[in-house]
Amino acid sequence: MNNKTPLPEVDPESAGFSKERLARLKPAMRKYIDLQLLPHIVTLVAREGKIVHFAAQGYQDCESKIPATRDTIFRLYSNSKAITGAAAMILYEEGRLTLDDPVSRYIPAFKDPLVAAAYGETGRGWPPVMFPTVPAQREITLRDCLRNTTGLATPERSPYWYAVRYKDIIPETGWDLTANLDNPPTQSYRHRVENHARLPLNFQPGTDFVYHVGYPVIGAVIEIITGQTLEEFYRERIFQPLGMKDTSFYLAEHNRDRFADCYRPKQKNGRWGIAPYDKAAASEKARGPAVNFGAGGDMGGVLSTAGDYARFCQMLLNGGELDGVRILGRKSVEIMTASHTGDIFLPMRGRGFGFGMGVGVYVGGAPRPVMRSVGTYGWDGAAGTLFFADPKEKLLGICFTQVIGALAMPGNDYQEEFERLVYQALV
């Protein structure tokens, strides 16, 4: 890595891009800032491991007018999942886990799970059972955790009687194992996932998709196997070897002036805009205590810059290696970035998409044509971070901002437009 950029920068024409067409990207992204739908945006495009576009626009602190830069630090939220997938694959290569290990091998509370049953499914006849459950057909596996098919209970999918039957357990679980930045969890992840294991599952493991709830579990398993915190293991095995010097779960003191504020949508006088949500100086990510290591992005997840994250993504595109440092074997990356969900429908993406070990994967067959190639993988985060990696085109796109629920605002289509403008510039 050179001293100025995370990957070598080249003229777009030399990497198969039209310079004129690629130039459309920056003003198109600026439009969302001018409309006050985004505070800032950092975009990076690379092909064959070389950067052809890298731009920062807007303010990382709109009130103080501190400009966003290419070195601005962001909360990755669910973009942390890809890093967790890579960490799990490192342990898989070393024989310290297998993807189909039952979680109970590492956390005994997950042994012999029950599943909430619909009326008539218990086989107990009349009268109906007040709190009906049936034994799970199999236990939850590590693969289930990574591909989001655990069946672990969530408020949206649980019958009403959970609130009565498990009123003493639910507060100890965080319910869906997420926490508000204004209200950090008081219990450890290990405590929370062990209590979550006491709730009946919403469906049989491996048969449906429920997002995120398996990631605190796989995070706890990684810490149990390694004897390290996620921060320690990720830093030792991924961040430091790849030269991701600005990436960690918590902010280093010397990086505080580069940490972006996070915003939320707000409607005023019938018009959508943004308002502060998590100010950088007061954020739990800056002041600590450094105890919430969210494998799936809880509490903001991993912090990183667009450049640092590009090095991680380029490592995957290269088949597990970057600048002579190998993090994973080529075949392990193929497993990680393949779909493991089969015909299971992903409501967040729709038909044509599957989920791998921390990344969504385009498998083809979407109801309408898309520009990305079959096999393209990537994901996004709750505060507006996004990446996609297209192995066929050897193409990487990264688009970072910080607005919780940005896409809920009408007309805020920056992610779709970013991808379209990247692909239309290929020649």
Side-chain angles (χ1 to χ4, degrees):
M1 179 175 68
N2 63 43
N3 293 326
K4 294 183 179 180
T5 60
L7 301 167
E9 286 191 89
V10 299
D11 183 88
E13 304 281 355
S14 68
F17 280 91
S18 162
K19 186 182 296 186
E20 179 183 4
R21 284 175 168 268
L22 193 59
R24 298 171 180 171
L25 180 55
K26 188 173 180 179
M29 296 296 100
R30 179 74 205 187
K31 168 183 64 181
Y32 295 97
I33 297 172
D34 294 341
L35 290 171
Q36 298 182 23
L37 297 176
L38 298 178
H40 50 253
I41 194 159
V42 177
T43 47
L44 184 152
V45 181
R47 197 174 193 205
E48 297 180 337
K50 300 177 179 63
I51 293 173
V52 297
H53 164 93
F54 195 4
Q57 302 181 79
Y59 299 105
Q60 65 181 38
D61 179 346
C62 294
E63 290 67 44
S64 301
K65 301 299 182 185
I66 298 174
T69 72
R70 303 202 305 191
D71 290 326
T72 292
I73 295 171
F74 297 85
R75 303 156 190 79
L76 293 183
Y77 280 94
S78 281
N79 276 130
S80 306
K81 287 180 167 68
I83 298 171
T84 297
M89 294 307 296
I90 289 171
L91 298 175
Y92 171 74
E93 285 189 335
E94 295 175 351
R96 299 167 78 180
L97 62 78
T98 73
L99 297 178
D100 293 313
D101 284 345
V103 174
S104 65
R105 179 172 296 177
Y106 308 98
I107 306 177
F110 284 87
K111 187 74 175 174
D112 299 327
L114 298 174
V115 182
Y119 173 68
E121 288 184 9
T122 61
R124 298 180 186 178
W126 188 265
V129 180
M130 185 175 292
F131 306 125
T133 59
V134 296
Q137 294 170 2
R138 66 166 176 80
E139 293 190 21
I140 297 169
T141 66
L142 304 186
R143 190 190 306 270
D144 288 321
C145 293
L146 289 161
R147 68 179 182 176
N148 298 299
T149 60
T150 59
L152 286 167
T154 62
E156 297 80 10
R157 302 190 63 161
S158 296
Y160 73 92
W161 53 261
Y162 271 52
V164 177
R165 177 68 176 82
Y166 301 105
K167 63 181 179 180
D168 296 330
I169 297 175
I170 287 173
E172 298 297 308
T173 67
W175 188 244
D176 62 348
L177 295 175
T178 60
N180 190 293
L181 286 168
D182 297 325
N183 185 31
T186 57
Q187 305 98 350
S188 70
Y189 278 111
R190 178 72 181 269
H191 176 88
R192 293 161 72 197
V193 300
E194 286 184 340
N195 276 281
H196 207 162
R198 297 168 65 190
L199 299 178
L201 306 180
N202 287 156
F203 54 82
Q204 294 287 348
T207 63
D208 205 350
F209 186 92
V210 60
Y211 187 60
H212 178 73
V213 289
Y215 274 82
V217 179
I218 192 68
V221 169
I222 290 172
E223 291 192 338
I224 290 167
I225 291 173
T226 63
Q228 298 175 288
T229 66
L230 293 187
E231 172 71 44
E232 292 167 340
F233 185 67
Y234 290 8
R235 183 174 65 245
E236 177 185 316
R237 302 301 301 272
I238 299 173
F239 301 156
Q240 286 185 346
L242 290 177
M244 298 168 66
K245 57 185 176 58
D246 294 323
T247 302
S248 62
F249 278 97
Y250 283 85
L251 199 67
E253 182 71 33
H254 64 275
N255 283 339
R256 293 196 174 193
D257 62 339
R258 294 193 282 125
F259 187 34
D261 286 357
C262 191
Y263 295 80
R264 60 177 176 84
K266 183 177 182 180
Q267 198 172 31
K268 185 177 181 181
N269 298 324
R271 186 171 181 175
W272 283 100
I274 55 175
Y277 171 64
D278 187 48
K279 297 290 289 182
S283 175
E284 191 259 357
K285 286 296 189 183
R287 56 185 170 80
V291 295
N292 292 308
F293 306 122
D298 309 58
M299 298 296 296
V302 172
L303 307 178
S304 193
T305 64
D308 268 13
Y309 201 69
R311 289 187 61 77
F312 171 76
C313 297
Q314 190 61 52
M315 176 273 294
L316 295 178
L317 268 178
N318 290 353
E321 178 274 336
L322 183 66
D323 292 341
V325 175
R326 181 160 292 281
I327 303 298
L328 288 168
R330 175 172 58 87
K331 302 302 290 186
S332 298
V333 174
E334 289 179 11
I335 291 174
M336 174 184 167
T337 58
S339 173
H340 290 247
T341 48
D343 295 330
I344 295 173
F345 181 75
L346 272 61
M348 307 172 74
R349 288 294 185 268
R351 190 159 58 87
F353 289 85
F355 210 88
M357 305 292 97
V359 292
V361 187
Y362 180 55
V363 297
R368 61 182 184 275
V370 298
M371 281 188 165
R372 58 175 59 185
S373 308
V374 171
T376 297
Y377 56 87
W379 204 240
D380 53 359
T385 54
L386 164 78
F387 92 97
F388 65 85
D390 186 331
K392 181 178 180 181
E393 295 289 348
K394 301 179 181 179
L395 176 65
L396 171 63
I398 289 176
C399 181
F400 279 8
T401 190
Q402 295 280 261
V403 181
I404 291 285
L407 300 183
M409 290 185 280
N412 202 358
D413 304 318
Y414 74 97
Q415 292 187 356
E416 186 275 335
E417 188 163 5
F418 170 72
E419 182 173 331
R420 183 178 72 248
L421 290 171
V422 171
Y423 275 100
Q424 62 85 37
L426 290 170
V427 295

